[in-house]
Amino acid sequence: MAENRSKLPRLRRWWSVALVAPLLLFLLASFVAPVLMMLSRAVIDRDLERVWPDSAAALRQWDGAGAPPDALAATVAREINAARQAGTLNQAANRLNYDMVGSRSLLYATADRLAAGTPGASVADLARIDPRWGQPGIWAAMRHADGPLTRHYLLAALDRRLNADDRIVTVPAEQAVFANIYLRTFKISAIVALLCAALGYPVAYLLASLPERKANPLLILVLLPFWTSALVRTAAWAVLLQTNGVVNKALQAVGLIDAPLQLIYNRLGVYIAMTHVLLPFFILPLYGVMKGIAPTAMRAASSLGAPPLRAFLTVYLPQTLPGVGAGAIIVFTLALGYYVTPALVGGGGDQMISASIAFYTNQSLNWGMAAALSLLLLLPLLLMIFAGRTMVRTVPA
Amino acid sequence: MSARRSRSERAGRAALIGFSALVFAFLVLPILAVIPLSLNPTTFLVFPEGEFSLRWYRTLAGSPQWTHAFGNSLKIAVATTLIATPLGTLAAIGLAYMRSRAKTAIVAMITAPLVVPVVVVAIAFYFLFAPLGLVNGSLGLIVAHTALAVPFVVIVVHAALRGLDTELLRAAASLGAPPLVVLLRVLIPLIAPGVAAGAVFAFMTSFDETTVALFIAGPEQRTLPIQMFEGVREQISPAIAAAATLLIIASTLLLGAAELLRRRGEGRRPGSAAPDIGA
């Protein structure tokens, strides 16, 4: 026996590493690496460098003050022409258009004229093709994109941009959208977390105060939605909350309303469906915490004369706060990243930041922007998790 | 005095039960209400009056889009389960043996796919797979779903291992069984219910997964959740209610079974594993 014990640890170290290694390698390759690679695109910018290597190098040499040197203009003109022939001008044009609207058409018009033999050996030559080449805007846009690092996407995700003088300025009000969407995302998530707390606390309390024989059947009522996918439950709400859906029909039949209410494709629908989807994530961890609280403390408090409410507020509630915090953090953080539910039951003004990320990924293919928005979604989340340290301990296990 | 307090206590208790009953109704009724709606013979989303019909189930079964999507989901979920279960089980066993300080970091990494918002995971896979040509292919979805499903396997199997009598392993070893034999012939059979539960969680994670699929699946890999998502977006008909009903029944049966297995495996109260972190 003693001999075995002395042998086991040596085997253990070996075995434990060998057993965990396949999964770690798999996750490193299939999860950690892609997430980091994707997030790095928020600050790494090689689009211009890839198409115009010489221009990017020359732009990095230039200090950006005053008029650009003629040699730089000649390099840019040569590479515009080369990229047009190679069919890669599109990449540079798209990238510069993010920084300065109109760059696309400027580049294509310039490329046509250069291909037709118009000289492009100096800034003055280019300015004869289009006067914008004589202004600082396009040169600043190119300098912001000269790689390998850029602040452009992160600033844009914060409704800021670098102007031609490299100062950070706020974008015009009609383009400033992301601050609003982030605020909305945090507001919806916080309200859903509060609703879950308000609805879930009494239920967890009831479940924890019942003997297991009675609590277990009731627990199934929490587990059933927990087991059913978020999509299916969202679809169920979409079915029920229609203008001619069951809920409206029932309210009309009872006589509470005369005309159908708009219950869906608005904020109300988002709150209802998201609260429904996330409520079990609040109840279950809180129930776990409440089950671990000794009932004797409450009994002691009331035997010492504390009225039930006072005993609850001063003795029981403080002990459950870690569970409330854990449940609220889980609900809040899950809500922050939700895509399917707001997409299906929200209106245009209820979309969360995930919808913007989806737009830049699938539709406009501006991956730098999608990465920057993801980074700004992930950062507060990681801060909360590291600050609370509750998530890792409560969600799994 | 004491009579009045007990009266107010009773009133409080009644209020608590009444409120909880409303919350339970809120949790369960929307899910249950979909079932009768799907048995409606008309094209309206109303409760059937007297007459039930399987019309909308026949519509689903006769639609190549729905059956193709179902087949895809099944194929991808089976492949995910076959990869995630052994990977996760071995890792959970390794973690149970591990004493090193690296364990915390390893657990954090294994559970990271649960914590990182699904949208971020989805576009990370899109960025990875697009240049490799894996967008629009089943392989990409299988890899992505495995990463999302594997934490559940590790968590469930790890919990089963905690309830394990380690003396049995020692007995096997002292009788001369080499570690690999102990692992395969003693340890794994003992935790089999936990492994089975983990496999079901992995299957359902993949089968239900929507967001990553929406980002990286092409028209050929259209899964059941994608078909459902677009059905809800375009036109909500009783066919959606029928599809939802089938998915509700499937996940209730499978995950209910997994929960029982898990409880048998670890002898603990229900409700601590997370089968679905949703979308």
Side-chain angles (χ1 to χ4, degrees), chain B residues 50-174:
Chain B
E51 207 182 325
F52 293 93
S53 149
L54 292 177
R55 169 183 173 184
W56 296 104
Y57 292 88
R58 281 194 295 272
T59 307
L60 292 184
S63 147
Q65 277 158 344
W66 282 96
T67 50
H68 183 230
F70 176 77
N72 270 332
S73 280
L74 202 61
K75 192 176 75 184
I76 289 165
V78 167
T80 299
T81 309
L82 289 178
I83 303 171
T85 310
L87 272 181
T89 302
L90 293 182
I93 296 171
L95 280 175
Y97 276 103
M98 199 172 275
R99 296 280 173 275
S100 101
R101 248 171 296 161
K103 190 172 168 174
T104 320
I106 293 173
V107 169
M109 190 178 128
I110 291 174
T111 49
L114 301 183
V115 179
V116 176
V118 197
V119 181
V120 174
V121 180
I123 68 162
F125 283 121
Y126 187 88
F127 282 23
L128 176 73
F129 292 151
L132 297 174
L134 289 176
V135 167
N136 299 350
S138 303
L139 184 64
L141 262 184
I142 293 168
V143 170
H145 282 182
T146 302
L148 289 174
V150 97
F152 294 115
V153 180
V154 175
I155 290 163
V156 173
V157 175
H158 194 260
L161 282 163
R162 266 185 308 193
L164 184 75
D165 184 359
T166 48
E167 290 302 320
L168 293 169
L169 307 183
R170 257 192 217 123
S174 74

Side-chain angles (χ1 to χ4, degrees), chain A residues 4 30 226 276 281 337 339 385 397, chain B residues 27 115 119 125 174 272-273 275-276 279:
Chain A
N4 263 320
S30 76
F226 197 58
H276 186 254
F281 289 94
Y339 174 69
I385 291 165
Chain B
L27 276 171
V115 179
V119 181
F125 283 121
S174 74
S272 38
D276 165 35

Side-chain angles (χ1 to χ4, degrees), chain A residues 107-177:
Chain A
L107 282 192
Y108 274 101
T110 306
D112 285 345
R113 294 282 300 275
L114 289 170
T118 313
S122 66
V123 179
D125 281 348
L126 287 177
R128 269 191 289 278
I129 295 175
D130 190 305
R132 278 177 286 178
W133 288 109
Q135 292 160 8
I138 182 70
W139 297 99
M142 284 195 284
R143 224 155 36 73
H144 298 156
D146 64 6
L149 293 177
T150 183
R151 287 179 285 176
H152 170 78
Y153 297 115
L154 281 175
L155 288 173
L158 295 165
D159 292 334
R160 303 285 191 278
R161 62 186 304 272
L162 284 177
N163 69 5
D165 305 329
D166 284 354
R167 278 211 199 89
I168 296 173
V169 293
T170 317
V171 301
E174 70 274 10
Q175 290 169 31
V177 286

Side-chain angles (χ1 to χ4, degrees), chain A residues 45-53 55 76 79-80 83-84 87-100 102-105 107-108 138 141-142 145 153:
Chain A
D45 191 353
R46 296 189 179 277
D47 287 352
L48 199 72
E49 195 181 62
R50 215 175 298 126
V51 186
W52 296 350
S55 304
V76 170
E79 287 191 317
I80 288 179
R84 180 183 186 270
T88 52
L89 187 60
N90 196 28
Q91 292 172 36
N94 279 345
R95 172 60 188 90
L96 293 179
N97 218 46
Y98 296 153
D99 203 297
M100 191 182 107
S103 302
R104 250 190 96 80
S105 55
L107 282 192
Y108 274 101
I138 182 70
M142 284 195 284
Y153 297 115

Side-chain angles (χ1 to χ4, degrees), chain B:
Chain B
M1 178 72 194
S2 107
R4 203 176 41 174
R5 184 188 298 167
S6 76
R7 208 183 304 143
S8 77
E9 250 173 68
R10 251 180 288 141
R13 191 79 191 161
L16 177 68
I17 292 172
F19 183 84
S20 299
L22 289 177
V23 176
F24 284 131
F26 169 70
L27 276 171
V28 175
L29 286 185
I31 300 174
L32 297 184
V34 172
I35 298 169
L37 290 175
S38 72
L39 295 169
N40 172 354
T42 69
T43 52
F44 303 107
L45 281 162
V46 293
F47 288 120
E49 286 166 20
E51 207 182 325
F52 293 93
S53 149
L54 292 177
R55 169 183 173 184
W56 296 104
Y57 292 88
R58 281 194 295 272
T59 307
L60 292 184
S63 147
Q65 277 158 344
W66 282 96
T67 50
H68 183 230
F70 176 77
N72 270 332
S73 280
L74 202 61
K75 192 176 75 184
I76 289 165
V78 167
T80 299
T81 309
L82 289 178
I83 303 171
T85 310
L87 272 181
T89 302
L90 293 182
I93 296 171
L95 280 175
Y97 276 103
M98 199 172 275
R99 296 280 173 275
S100 101
R101 248 171 296 161
K103 190 172 168 174
T104 320
I106 293 173
V107 169
M109 190 178 128
I110 291 174
T111 49
L114 301 183
V115 179
V116 176
V118 197
V119 181
V120 174
V121 180
I123 68 162
F125 283 121
Y126 187 88
F127 282 23
L128 176 73
F129 292 151
L132 297 174
L134 289 176
V135 167
N136 299 350
S138 303
L139 184 64
L141 262 184
I142 293 168
V143 170
H145 282 182
T146 302
L148 289 174
V150 97
F152 294 115
V153 180
V154 175
I155 290 163
V156 173
V157 175
H158 194 260
L161 282 163
R162 266 185 308 193
L164 184 75
D165 184 359
T166 48
E167 290 302 320
L168 293 169
L169 307 183
R170 257 192 217 123
S174 74
L175 289 170
L180 192 64
V181 175
V182 176
L183 179 71
L184 293 177
R185 307 270 314 260
V186 183
L187 181 58
I188 293 201
L190 281 172
I191 56 167
V195 175
V200 178
F201 281 128
F203 181 90
M204 283 315 292
T205 304
S206 167
F207 201 75
D208 276 346
E209 202 287 325
T210 318
T211 312
V212 174
L214 279 172
F215 276 80
I216 67 174
E220 279 306 301
Q221 292 77 44
R222 169 179 284 266
T223 60
L224 209 50
I226 300 182
Q227 181 70 25
M228 181 109 185
F229 181 89
E230 292 184 354
V232 176
R233 267 212 157 163
E234 280 150 26
Q235 198 210 351
I236 300 183
S237 75
I240 295 294
T245 303
L246 291 176
L247 284 171
I248 290 166
I249 293 170
S251 48
T252 305
L253 288 179
L254 279 175
L255 290 169
E259 183 76 24
L260 289 177
L261 283 169
R262 196 177 68 79
R263 264 194 271 174
R264 215 179 82 192
E266 73 186 273
R268 290 195 326 162
R269 63 173 182 278
S272 38
D276 165 35
I277 60 165

